[in-house]
Amino acid sequence: MTDIPASDARARYERIYATLRKRICLLDYPPGRRLREEDLAEEFHTSRTPIRRVLARLEDEGLLWSVHGVGTIVTDIDIEELSQVYRLRIELAELIGKLMPVPPDQAMLNELFEMEARCAELASRLDAREFARLNMDFFQLILRLTANEPLRDISERLYFQTTRIWLKTASRFDHYRDMLRLEVESFQREMRDVMLAIESADLSAVGHVRRAHLTTSFSRLLAEARSDKKADIN
Amino acid sequence: MTDIPASDARARYERIYATLRKRICLLDYPPGRRLREEDLAEEFHTSRTPIRRVLARLEDEGLLWSVHGVGTIVTDIDIEELSQVYRLRIELAELIGKLMPVPPDQAMLNELFEMEARCAELASRLDAREFARLNMDFFQLILRLTANEPLRDISERLYFQTTRIWLKTASRFDHYRDMLRLEVESFQREMRDVMLAIESADLSAVGHVRRAHLTTSFSRLLAEARSDKKADIN
DNA sequence: TAGGATTTGTGCGTATGTATT
DNA sequence: TAATACATACGCACAAATCCT
């Protein structure tokens, strides 16, 4: 998403930032996990100082929470709170096709075909983590359909604030493989619909498609989470 | 905008951040101005370390730009670039009335009346800086009309990315008092229309009003900036 | 309740990069 | 081209806060 960094320091900063963000969103660092600055400094062969800058940004974005004397903790996520983020993401999804749409080039179409293949393979293998990765890659590709950079930045930020909830919810279920199958199939339909919209050169249709899928995907998640909470009481 | 900070350190961080952001947006620190970490550390009675965290955030938000060996520089703003931000702000303005609208309480209405009075006073006195302050206060009040916190955060962020352009453009003109008068009058109409919409208890109408005003205000700015550029050539 | 262990926050000296003469 | 001035980036030592025994 970023341009070529002006310096090595900035490149490293972006690299560490992207790495940690991905770990948080793939639940390698689950909610509540404590990160130690010194451990990270050692892993990335640097001192605490550059690490602290990355952690500060992740904290500003709501993925971490630093407490003096305690540690830096991966924030928890509550689906009722995140419904606000979803409401916003649903509106922004439509804007991606409306504000400065960029016709996809051949390279992008090729990537889409590859992703569709990965998705088909997933449908038979059913790997939650791999699904989360594919979903992330697909989202970042969709972002390239608009040249409106602030829209891209904000959409990305909101995506990374919400995407963990799916893996977290799914992992709590006994029948999570059924949930996953449902989700992969829904995602497969979304990819197909998006590709059809792109082929018809109608980028605003891409927005409508994604809006619809995001809406149904979220209400499905909400229903699951609520039935889960109900089950907790029993 | 933030809740009560959990610690003194965080409170100070937020305070310095808000202070510097305001200075940048009121052009106390004009584009190109170099900020020295050590000067700021002295002013806020601390060391460079907490200052550096604030500067890093302002850099992430696009208001500053740190270059190793050179300094931390207030970014310049280009109206053509910022048109993308405006396009997005126009859409978000409408969402504020749609996503989780909050009926204003009496305290809010009182603040609105006060602002209207300030605006009337401005119309006769014509003070660009004071206008910018009032505009900022009004915007932050409008944000309270939605309970959707991510929408508030993002709207605020985009506001602070664009608001400087007006003062900067106006200050370049000989006839800036004419521009200012026009702008204050337009703002006065916006406030009146917003209050009418609020009184009729229709918050989505507030969104439409603000969308319309933002659109016209931006095209007026664009026209002025372009005629300015043209004048440069002559 | 007190004290030790642990972890983030702060302060500052040094390294590194840039611009200017 | 080299040297000098100067600002940010980095690393480390210490202060402050929290938790657990």
PDB file of all heavy atoms in Angstrom, chain A residues 10 13 53 56-57 59-60 66 84 87 99-100 147-149 154 157, chain B residues 10 13 53 56-57 59-60 66 84 87 99-100 147-149 154 157:
ATOM      1  N   ARG A  10      12.758   3.598   7.367  1.00  0.00           N
ATOM      2  CA  ARG A  10      11.331   3.614   7.112  1.00  0.00           C
ATOM      3  C   ARG A  10      10.866   2.284   6.545  1.00  0.00           C
ATOM      4  O   ARG A  10       9.789   1.799   6.882  1.00  0.00           O
ATOM      5  CB  ARG A  10      10.990   4.755   6.148  1.00  0.00           C
ATOM      6  CG  ARG A  10       9.553   5.208   6.210  1.00  0.00           C
ATOM      7  CD  ARG A  10       9.381   6.468   5.390  1.00  0.00           C
ATOM      8  NE  ARG A  10      10.207   7.554   5.919  1.00  0.00           N
ATOM      9  CZ  ARG A  10       9.733   8.527   6.699  1.00  0.00           C
ATOM     10  NH1 ARG A  10       8.470   8.551   7.029  1.00  0.00           N
ATOM     11  NH2 ARG A  10      10.532   9.473   7.138  1.00  0.00           N
ATOM     12  N   TYR A  13      10.620  -0.097   9.367  1.00  0.00           N
ATOM     13  CA  TYR A  13       9.451   0.254  10.166  1.00  0.00           C
ATOM     14  C   TYR A  13       8.180  -0.312   9.534  1.00  0.00           C
ATOM     15  O   TYR A  13       7.387  -0.991  10.189  1.00  0.00           O
ATOM     16  CB  TYR A  13       9.364   1.773  10.292  1.00  0.00           C
ATOM     17  CG  TYR A  13       8.041   2.307  10.750  1.00  0.00           C
ATOM     18  CD1 TYR A  13       7.593   2.094  12.053  1.00  0.00           C
ATOM     19  CD2 TYR A  13       7.217   3.029   9.881  1.00  0.00           C
ATOM     20  CE1 TYR A  13       6.366   2.592  12.472  1.00  0.00           C
ATOM     21  CE2 TYR A  13       5.999   3.533  10.298  1.00  0.00           C
ATOM     22  CZ  TYR A  13       5.582   3.313  11.597  1.00  0.00           C
ATOM     23  OH  TYR A  13       4.366   3.795  12.009  1.00  0.00           O
ATOM     24  N   ARG A  53       8.047   2.355  18.273  1.00  0.00           N
ATOM     25  CA  ARG A  53       7.300   3.190  17.336  1.00  0.00           C
ATOM     26  C   ARG A  53       6.219   2.379  16.633  1.00  0.00           C
ATOM     27  O   ARG A  53       5.097   2.837  16.434  1.00  0.00           O
ATOM     28  CB  ARG A  53       8.245   3.801  16.292  1.00  0.00           C
ATOM     29  CG  ARG A  53       7.461   4.451  15.215  1.00  0.00           C
ATOM     30  CD  ARG A  53       8.075   5.547  14.420  1.00  0.00           C
ATOM     31  NE  ARG A  53       7.001   6.115  13.602  1.00  0.00           N
ATOM     32  CZ  ARG A  53       7.181   6.927  12.597  1.00  0.00           C
ATOM     33  NH1 ARG A  53       8.383   7.316  12.308  1.00  0.00           N
ATOM     34  NH2 ARG A  53       6.171   7.371  11.902  1.00  0.00           N
ATOM     35  N   ALA A  56       3.402   1.721  19.055  1.00  0.00           N
ATOM     36  CA  ALA A  56       2.601   2.928  19.278  1.00  0.00           C
ATOM     37  C   ALA A  56       1.571   3.093  18.170  1.00  0.00           C
ATOM     38  O   ALA A  56       0.414   3.416  18.413  1.00  0.00           O
ATOM     39  CB  ALA A  56       3.516   4.151  19.340  1.00  0.00           C
ATOM     40  N   ARG A  57       1.985   2.819  16.928  1.00  0.00           N
ATOM     41  CA  ARG A  57       1.035   2.966  15.830  1.00  0.00           C
ATOM     42  C   ARG A  57      -0.073   1.925  15.920  1.00  0.00           C
ATOM     43  O   ARG A  57      -1.249   2.241  15.743  1.00  0.00           O
ATOM     44  CB  ARG A  57       1.771   2.836  14.488  1.00  0.00           C
ATOM     45  CG  ARG A  57       0.811   2.805  13.331  1.00  0.00           C
ATOM     46  CD  ARG A  57       1.458   3.148  12.033  1.00  0.00           C
ATOM     47  NE  ARG A  57       0.539   2.956  10.915  1.00  0.00           N
ATOM     48  CZ  ARG A  57       0.927   2.882   9.671  1.00  0.00           C
ATOM     49  NH1 ARG A  57       2.208   2.999   9.367  1.00  0.00           N
ATOM     50  NH2 ARG A  57       0.057   2.706   8.704  1.00  0.00           N
ATOM     51  N   GLU A  59      -1.126   0.651  18.524  1.00  0.00           N
ATOM     52  CA  GLU A  59      -1.989   1.063  19.629  1.00  0.00           C
ATOM     53  C   GLU A  59      -2.960   2.154  19.171  1.00  0.00           C
ATOM     54  O   GLU A  59      -4.144   2.092  19.470  1.00  0.00           O
ATOM     55  CB  GLU A  59      -1.132   1.563  20.797  1.00  0.00           C
ATOM     56  CG  GLU A  59      -1.971   1.899  22.021  1.00  0.00           C
ATOM     57  CD  GLU A  59      -1.123   2.347  23.201  1.00  0.00           C
ATOM     58  OE1 GLU A  59       0.117   2.378  23.067  1.00  0.00           O
ATOM     59  OE2 GLU A  59      -1.716   2.659  24.247  1.00  0.00           O
ATOM     60  N   ASP A  60      -2.439   3.132  18.415  1.00  0.00           N
ATOM     61  CA  ASP A  60      -3.311   4.192  17.898  1.00  0.00           C
ATOM     62  C   ASP A  60      -4.415   3.609  17.026  1.00  0.00           C
ATOM     63  O   ASP A  60      -5.510   4.155  16.931  1.00  0.00           O
ATOM     64  CB  ASP A  60      -2.491   5.200  17.082  1.00  0.00           C
ATOM     65  CG  ASP A  60      -1.615   6.070  17.976  1.00  0.00           C
ATOM     66  OD1 ASP A  60      -1.941   6.217  19.161  1.00  0.00           O
ATOM     67  OD2 ASP A  60      -0.596   6.583  17.487  1.00  0.00           O
ATOM     68  N   SER A  66      -1.053  -0.604  25.417  1.00  0.00           N
ATOM     69  CA  SER A  66       0.123  -0.629  26.283  1.00  0.00           C
ATOM     70  C   SER A  66      -0.222  -0.101  27.667  1.00  0.00           C
ATOM     71  O   SER A  66      -0.833   0.955  27.786  1.00  0.00           O
ATOM     72  CB  SER A  66       1.251   0.230  25.688  1.00  0.00           C
ATOM     73  OG  SER A  66       1.932  -0.491  24.690  1.00  0.00           O
ATOM     74  N   GLN A  84     -20.335  -1.401  14.690  1.00  0.00           N
ATOM     75  CA  GLN A  84     -20.212  -0.028  14.188  1.00  0.00           C
ATOM     76  C   GLN A  84     -19.197   0.046  13.057  1.00  0.00           C
ATOM     77  O   GLN A  84     -19.407   0.721  12.054  1.00  0.00           O
ATOM     78  CB  GLN A  84     -19.793   0.908  15.311  1.00  0.00           C
ATOM     79  CG  GLN A  84     -20.828   0.999  16.422  1.00  0.00           C
ATOM     80  CD  GLN A  84     -20.424   2.001  17.471  1.00  0.00           C
ATOM     81  OE1 GLN A  84     -19.430   2.691  17.334  1.00  0.00           O
ATOM     82  NE2 GLN A  84     -21.221   2.092  18.533  1.00  0.00           N
ATOM     83  N   ARG A  87     -20.794  -1.421   9.964  1.00  0.00           N
ATOM     84  CA  ARG A  87     -21.730  -0.510   9.311  1.00  0.00           C
ATOM     85  C   ARG A  87     -20.979   0.457   8.392  1.00  0.00           C
ATOM     86  O   ARG A  87     -21.394   0.754   7.273  1.00  0.00           O
ATOM     87  CB  ARG A  87     -22.522   0.289  10.352  1.00  0.00           C
ATOM     88  CG  ARG A  87     -23.615  -0.506  11.055  1.00  0.00           C
ATOM     89  CD  ARG A  87     -24.737  -0.906  10.083  1.00  0.00           C
ATOM     90  NE  ARG A  87     -25.268   0.212   9.324  1.00  0.00           N
ATOM     91  CZ  ARG A  87     -26.235   1.007   9.739  1.00  0.00           C
ATOM     92  NH1 ARG A  87     -26.778   0.810  10.925  1.00  0.00           N
ATOM     93  NH2 ARG A  87     -26.671   2.000   8.979  1.00  0.00           N
ATOM     94  N   LEU A  99     -15.643   6.250  -6.185  1.00  0.00           N
ATOM     95  CA  LEU A  99     -14.646   7.320  -6.151  1.00  0.00           C
ATOM     96  C   LEU A  99     -13.379   6.899  -6.901  1.00  0.00           C
ATOM     97  O   LEU A  99     -12.686   5.981  -6.500  1.00  0.00           O
ATOM     98  CB  LEU A  99     -14.284   7.675  -4.707  1.00  0.00           C
ATOM     99  CG  LEU A  99     -15.414   8.157  -3.800  1.00  0.00           C
ATOM    100  CD1 LEU A  99     -14.850   8.677  -2.482  1.00  0.00           C
ATOM    101  CD2 LEU A  99     -16.266   9.216  -4.468  1.00  0.00           C
ATOM    102  N   MET A 100     -13.098   7.602  -7.973  1.00  0.00           N
ATOM    103  CA  MET A 100     -11.892   7.344  -8.758  1.00  0.00           C
ATOM    104  C   MET A 100     -11.676   5.863  -9.081  1.00  0.00           C
ATOM    105  O   MET A 100     -10.622   5.303  -8.744  1.00  0.00           O
ATOM    106  CB  MET A 100     -10.662   7.885  -8.033  1.00  0.00           C
ATOM    107  CG  MET A 100     -10.678   9.378  -7.872  1.00  0.00           C
ATOM    108  SD  MET A 100      -9.001  10.003  -7.686  1.00  0.00           S
ATOM    109  CE  MET A 100      -8.415   9.980  -9.379  1.00  0.00           C
ATOM    110  N   ALA A 147      -8.467   4.788  -7.017  1.00  0.00           N
ATOM    111  CA  ALA A 147      -7.245   5.582  -6.913  1.00  0.00           C
ATOM    112  C   ALA A 147      -7.362   6.607  -5.793  1.00  0.00           C
ATOM    113  O   ALA A 147      -6.456   7.401  -5.593  1.00  0.00           O
ATOM    114  CB  ALA A 147      -6.952   6.286  -8.229  1.00  0.00           C
ATOM    115  N   ASN A 148      -8.486   6.583  -5.085  1.00  0.00           N
ATOM    116  CA  ASN A 148      -8.665   7.516  -3.974  1.00  0.00           C
ATOM    117  C   ASN A 148      -7.898   6.988  -2.764  1.00  0.00           C
ATOM    118  O   ASN A 148      -8.352   6.090  -2.055  1.00  0.00           O
ATOM    119  CB  ASN A 148     -10.154   7.649  -3.661  1.00  0.00           C
ATOM    120  CG  ASN A 148     -10.426   8.747  -2.648  1.00  0.00           C
ATOM    121  OD1 ASN A 148      -9.826   8.766  -1.580  1.00  0.00           O
ATOM    122  ND2 ASN A 148     -11.309   9.660  -3.000  1.00  0.00           N
ATOM    123  N   GLU A 149      -6.734   7.572  -2.536  1.00  0.00           N
ATOM    124  CA  GLU A 149      -5.842   7.013  -1.533  1.00  0.00           C
ATOM    125  C   GLU A 149      -6.375   7.093  -0.109  1.00  0.00           C
ATOM    126  O   GLU A 149      -6.264   6.115   0.637  1.00  0.00           O
ATOM    127  CB  GLU A 149      -4.460   7.671  -1.625  1.00  0.00           C
ATOM    128  CG  GLU A 149      -3.353   6.713  -1.210  1.00  0.00           C
ATOM    129  CD  GLU A 149      -1.973   7.264  -1.513  1.00  0.00           C
ATOM    130  OE1 GLU A 149      -1.699   7.480  -2.706  1.00  0.00           O
ATOM    131  OE2 GLU A 149      -1.199   7.477  -0.564  1.00  0.00           O
ATOM    132  N   ILE A 154      -8.194   4.214   4.707  1.00  0.00           N
ATOM    133  CA  ILE A 154      -9.217   4.057   5.746  1.00  0.00           C
ATOM    134  C   ILE A 154      -9.885   2.694   5.644  1.00  0.00           C
ATOM    135  O   ILE A 154     -10.122   2.025   6.650  1.00  0.00           O
ATOM    136  CB  ILE A 154     -10.235   5.202   5.625  1.00  0.00           C
ATOM    137  CG1 ILE A 154      -9.622   6.460   6.206  1.00  0.00           C
ATOM    138  CG2 ILE A 154     -11.540   4.851   6.297  1.00  0.00           C
ATOM    139  CD1 ILE A 154     -10.373   7.698   5.859  1.00  0.00           C
ATOM    140  N   ARG A 157      -7.546   0.151   7.078  1.00  0.00           N
ATOM    141  CA  ARG A 157      -7.488   0.254   8.533  1.00  0.00           C
ATOM    142  C   ARG A 157      -8.700  -0.407   9.190  1.00  0.00           C
ATOM    143  O   ARG A 157      -8.568  -1.161  10.149  1.00  0.00           O
ATOM    144  CB  ARG A 157      -7.436   1.743   8.891  1.00  0.00           C
ATOM    145  CG  ARG A 157      -7.255   2.017  10.338  1.00  0.00           C
ATOM    146  CD  ARG A 157      -6.956   3.482  10.534  1.00  0.00           C
ATOM    147  NE  ARG A 157      -7.007   3.838  11.939  1.00  0.00           N
ATOM    148  CZ  ARG A 157      -6.455   4.916  12.450  1.00  0.00           C
ATOM    149  NH1 ARG A 157      -5.811   5.753  11.667  1.00  0.00           N
ATOM    150  NH2 ARG A 157      -6.554   5.185  13.735  1.00  0.00           N
TER     151      ARG A 157
ATOM    152  N   ARG B  10      -0.515   9.277  29.296  1.00  0.00           N
ATOM    153  CA  ARG B  10      -1.391   9.275  28.139  1.00  0.00           C
ATOM    154  C   ARG B  10      -2.099  10.617  27.994  1.00  0.00           C
ATOM    155  O   ARG B  10      -2.299  11.112  26.879  1.00  0.00           O
ATOM    156  CB  ARG B  10      -2.412   8.140  28.271  1.00  0.00           C
ATOM    157  CG  ARG B  10      -3.005   7.683  26.956  1.00  0.00           C
ATOM    158  CD  ARG B  10      -3.804   6.426  27.184  1.00  0.00           C
ATOM    159  NE  ARG B  10      -2.953   5.342  27.693  1.00  0.00           N
ATOM    160  CZ  ARG B  10      -2.487   4.357  26.952  1.00  0.00           C
ATOM    161  NH1 ARG B  10      -2.774   4.316  25.664  1.00  0.00           N
ATOM    162  NH2 ARG B  10      -1.754   3.417  27.466  1.00  0.00           N
ATOM    163  N   TYR B  13       0.295  12.986  26.487  1.00  0.00           N
ATOM    164  CA  TYR B  13       0.459  12.643  25.072  1.00  0.00           C
ATOM    165  C   TYR B  13      -0.691  13.216  24.253  1.00  0.00           C
ATOM    166  O   TYR B  13      -0.461  13.889  23.232  1.00  0.00           O
ATOM    167  CB  TYR B  13       0.523  11.123  24.932  1.00  0.00           C
ATOM    168  CG  TYR B  13       0.308  10.598  23.546  1.00  0.00           C
ATOM    169  CD1 TYR B  13       1.243  10.827  22.537  1.00  0.00           C
ATOM    170  CD2 TYR B  13      -0.838   9.869  23.222  1.00  0.00           C
ATOM    171  CE1 TYR B  13       1.049  10.341  21.262  1.00  0.00           C
ATOM    172  CE2 TYR B  13      -1.034   9.371  21.944  1.00  0.00           C
ATOM    173  CZ  TYR B  13      -0.095   9.613  20.974  1.00  0.00           C
ATOM    174  OH  TYR B  13      -0.303   9.133  19.707  1.00  0.00           O
ATOM    175  N   ARG B  53       7.031  10.582  20.067  1.00  0.00           N
ATOM    176  CA  ARG B  53       5.849   9.754  19.844  1.00  0.00           C
ATOM    177  C   ARG B  53       4.725  10.577  19.208  1.00  0.00           C
ATOM    178  O   ARG B  53       4.039  10.112  18.299  1.00  0.00           O
ATOM    179  CB  ARG B  53       5.363   9.143  21.161  1.00  0.00           C
ATOM    180  CG  ARG B  53       4.029   8.499  20.950  1.00  0.00           C
ATOM    181  CD  ARG B  53       3.618   7.387  21.833  1.00  0.00           C
ATOM    182  NE  ARG B  53       2.378   6.846  21.256  1.00  0.00           N
ATOM    183  CZ  ARG B  53       1.561   6.046  21.872  1.00  0.00           C
ATOM    184  NH1 ARG B  53       1.845   5.615  23.061  1.00  0.00           N
ATOM    185  NH2 ARG B  53       0.458   5.628  21.272  1.00  0.00           N
ATOM    186  N   ALA B  56       5.552  11.257  15.614  1.00  0.00           N
ATOM    187  CA  ALA B  56       5.379  10.052  14.794  1.00  0.00           C
ATOM    188  C   ALA B  56       3.924   9.892  14.393  1.00  0.00           C
ATOM    189  O   ALA B  56       3.606   9.579  13.243  1.00  0.00           O
ATOM    190  CB  ALA B  56       5.861   8.825  15.558  1.00  0.00           C
ATOM    191  N   ARG B  57       3.024  10.145  15.342  1.00  0.00           N
ATOM    192  CA  ARG B  57       1.601  10.010  15.009  1.00  0.00           C
ATOM    193  C   ARG B  57       1.178  11.054  13.981  1.00  0.00           C
ATOM    194  O   ARG B  57       0.477  10.747  13.021  1.00  0.00           O
ATOM    195  CB  ARG B  57       0.754  10.151  16.274  1.00  0.00           C
ATOM    196  CG  ARG B  57      -0.709  10.154  15.947  1.00  0.00           C
ATOM    197  CD  ARG B  57      -1.564   9.773  17.099  1.00  0.00           C
ATOM    198  NE  ARG B  57      -2.970   9.961  16.795  1.00  0.00           N
ATOM    199  CZ  ARG B  57      -3.912  10.028  17.721  1.00  0.00           C
ATOM    200  NH1 ARG B  57      -3.594   9.898  18.990  1.00  0.00           N
ATOM    201  NH2 ARG B  57      -5.162  10.198  17.381  1.00  0.00           N
ATOM    202  N   GLU B  59       2.986  12.335  11.851  1.00  0.00           N
ATOM    203  CA  GLU B  59       3.560  11.925  10.570  1.00  0.00           C
ATOM    204  C   GLU B  59       2.696  10.837   9.931  1.00  0.00           C
ATOM    205  O   GLU B  59       2.409  10.886   8.732  1.00  0.00           O
ATOM    206  CB  GLU B  59       4.988  11.417  10.775  1.00  0.00           C
ATOM    207  CG  GLU B  59       5.681  11.048   9.472  1.00  0.00           C
ATOM    208  CD  GLU B  59       7.114  10.594   9.686  1.00  0.00           C
ATOM    209  OE1 GLU B  59       7.571  10.560  10.848  1.00  0.00           O
ATOM    210  OE2 GLU B  59       7.774  10.274   8.681  1.00  0.00           O
ATOM    211  N   ASP B  60       2.263   9.858  10.733  1.00  0.00           N
ATOM    212  CA  ASP B  60       1.398   8.801  10.198  1.00  0.00           C
ATOM    213  C   ASP B  60       0.112   9.386   9.618  1.00  0.00           C
ATOM    214  O   ASP B  60      -0.473   8.832   8.697  1.00  0.00           O
ATOM    215  CB  ASP B  60       1.056   7.788  11.299  1.00  0.00           C
ATOM    216  CG  ASP B  60       2.247   6.915  11.673  1.00  0.00           C
ATOM    217  OD1 ASP B  60       3.137   6.761  10.825  1.00  0.00           O
ATOM    218  OD2 ASP B  60       2.287   6.411  12.802  1.00  0.00           O
ATOM    219  N   SER B  66       9.073  13.535   8.676  1.00  0.00           N
ATOM    220  CA  SER B  66      10.389  13.543   9.309  1.00  0.00           C
ATOM    221  C   SER B  66      11.430  13.004   8.345  1.00  0.00           C
ATOM    222  O   SER B  66      11.242  11.951   7.756  1.00  0.00           O
ATOM    223  CB  SER B  66      10.380  12.681  10.576  1.00  0.00           C
ATOM    224  OG  SER B  66       9.873  13.413  11.652  1.00  0.00           O
ATOM    225  N   GLN B  84      -9.272  14.497  -3.433  1.00  0.00           N
ATOM    226  CA  GLN B  84      -9.664  13.128  -3.098  1.00  0.00           C
ATOM    227  C   GLN B  84     -10.202  13.041  -1.676  1.00  0.00           C
ATOM    228  O   GLN B  84     -11.201  12.371  -1.420  1.00  0.00           O
ATOM    229  CB  GLN B  84      -8.472  12.183  -3.243  1.00  0.00           C
ATOM    230  CG  GLN B  84      -7.972  12.086  -4.672  1.00  0.00           C
ATOM    231  CD  GLN B  84      -6.852  11.073  -4.806  1.00  0.00           C
ATOM    232  OE1 GLN B  84      -6.512  10.379  -3.853  1.00  0.00           O
ATOM    233  NE2 GLN B  84      -6.285  10.979  -5.994  1.00  0.00           N
ATOM    234  N   ARG B  87     -13.658  14.530  -1.661  1.00  0.00           N
ATOM    235  CA  ARG B  87     -14.680  13.619  -2.204  1.00  0.00           C
ATOM    236  C   ARG B  87     -15.155  12.663  -1.123  1.00  0.00           C
ATOM    237  O   ARG B  87     -16.346  12.384  -0.969  1.00  0.00           O
ATOM    238  CB  ARG B  87     -14.104  12.814  -3.387  1.00  0.00           C
ATOM    239  CG  ARG B  87     -13.968  13.606  -4.683  1.00  0.00           C
ATOM    240  CD  ARG B  87     -15.324  14.010  -5.243  1.00  0.00           C
ATOM    241  NE  ARG B  87     -16.254  12.904  -5.388  1.00  0.00           N
ATOM    242  CZ  ARG B  87     -16.322  12.106  -6.440  1.00  0.00           C
ATOM    243  NH1 ARG B  87     -15.533  12.308  -7.464  1.00  0.00           N
ATOM    244  NH2 ARG B  87     -17.202  11.130  -6.484  1.00  0.00           N
ATOM    245  N   LEU B  99     -25.684   6.853  10.271  1.00  0.00           N
ATOM    246  CA  LEU B  99     -25.197   5.784  11.141  1.00  0.00           C
ATOM    247  C   LEU B  99     -25.290   6.197  12.610  1.00  0.00           C
ATOM    248  O   LEU B  99     -24.610   7.115  13.045  1.00  0.00           O
ATOM    249  CB  LEU B  99     -23.750   5.429  10.800  1.00  0.00           C
ATOM    250  CG  LEU B  99     -23.464   4.947   9.375  1.00  0.00           C
ATOM    251  CD1 LEU B  99     -22.041   4.426   9.277  1.00  0.00           C
ATOM    252  CD2 LEU B  99     -24.447   3.888   8.942  1.00  0.00           C
ATOM    253  N   MET B 100     -26.120   5.507  13.349  1.00  0.00           N
ATOM    254  CA  MET B 100     -26.272   5.754  14.790  1.00  0.00           C
ATOM    255  C   MET B 100     -26.446   7.224  15.124  1.00  0.00           C
ATOM    256  O   MET B 100     -25.689   7.786  15.931  1.00  0.00           O
ATOM    257  CB  MET B 100     -25.061   5.202  15.561  1.00  0.00           C
ATOM    258  CG  MET B 100     -24.894   3.728  15.436  1.00  0.00           C
ATOM    259  SD  MET B 100     -23.956   3.074  16.823  1.00  0.00           S
ATOM    260  CE  MET B 100     -25.189   3.088  18.124  1.00  0.00           C
ATOM    261  N   ALA B 147     -23.119   8.312  17.030  1.00  0.00           N
ATOM    262  CA  ALA B 147     -22.473   7.507  18.074  1.00  0.00           C
ATOM    263  C   ALA B 147     -21.540   6.481  17.453  1.00  0.00           C
ATOM    264  O   ALA B 147     -20.943   5.672  18.151  1.00  0.00           O
ATOM    265  CB  ALA B 147     -23.520   6.808  18.930  1.00  0.00           C
ATOM    266  N   ASN B 148     -21.427   6.513  16.143  1.00  0.00           N
ATOM    267  CA  ASN B 148     -20.527   5.579  15.463  1.00  0.00           C
ATOM    268  C   ASN B 148     -19.094   6.098  15.601  1.00  0.00           C
ATOM    269  O   ASN B 148     -18.664   6.995  14.868  1.00  0.00           O
ATOM    270  CB  ASN B 148     -20.925   5.453  13.992  1.00  0.00           C
ATOM    271  CG  ASN B 148     -20.167   4.345  13.294  1.00  0.00           C
ATOM    272  OD1 ASN B 148     -18.940   4.313  13.348  1.00  0.00           O
ATOM    273  ND2 ASN B 148     -20.886   3.433  12.665  1.00  0.00           N
ATOM    274  N   GLU B 149     -18.365   5.501  16.521  1.00  0.00           N
ATOM    275  CA  GLU B 149     -17.061   6.056  16.868  1.00  0.00           C
ATOM    276  C   GLU B 149     -16.034   5.974  15.743  1.00  0.00           C
ATOM    277  O   GLU B 149     -15.318   6.946  15.500  1.00  0.00           O
ATOM    278  CB  GLU B 149     -16.520   5.393  18.135  1.00  0.00           C
ATOM    279  CG  GLU B 149     -15.612   6.327  18.912  1.00  0.00           C
ATOM    280  CD  GLU B 149     -15.249   5.769  20.279  1.00  0.00           C
ATOM    281  OE1 GLU B 149     -16.174   5.550  21.077  1.00  0.00           O
ATOM    282  OE2 GLU B 149     -14.046   5.545  20.527  1.00  0.00           O
ATOM    283  N   ILE B 154     -12.578   8.849  11.915  1.00  0.00           N
ATOM    284  CA  ILE B 154     -12.133   9.012  10.536  1.00  0.00           C
ATOM    285  C   ILE B 154     -12.519  10.376   9.993  1.00  0.00           C
ATOM    286  O   ILE B 154     -11.722  11.034   9.324  1.00  0.00           O
ATOM    287  CB  ILE B 154     -12.714   7.870   9.681  1.00  0.00           C
ATOM    288  CG1 ILE B 154     -11.926   6.605   9.971  1.00  0.00           C
ATOM    289  CG2 ILE B 154     -12.700   8.224   8.216  1.00  0.00           C
ATOM    290  CD1 ILE B 154     -12.595   5.379   9.455  1.00  0.00           C
ATOM    291  N   ARG B 157     -10.158  12.896  11.418  1.00  0.00           N
ATOM    292  CA  ARG B 157      -8.840  12.791  10.794  1.00  0.00           C
ATOM    293  C   ARG B 157      -8.812  13.454   9.429  1.00  0.00           C
ATOM    294  O   ARG B 157      -7.901  14.217   9.101  1.00  0.00           O
ATOM    295  CB  ARG B 157      -8.500  11.307  10.666  1.00  0.00           C
ATOM    296  CG  ARG B 157      -7.131  11.029  10.174  1.00  0.00           C
ATOM    297  CD  ARG B 157      -6.829   9.553  10.331  1.00  0.00           C
ATOM    298  NE  ARG B 157      -5.610   9.201   9.647  1.00  0.00           N
ATOM    299  CZ  ARG B 157      -4.900   8.109   9.910  1.00  0.00           C
ATOM    300  NH1 ARG B 157      -5.306   7.284  10.841  1.00  0.00           N
ATOM    301  NH2 ARG B 157      -3.807   7.849   9.247  1.00  0.00           N
TER     302      ARG B 157
END
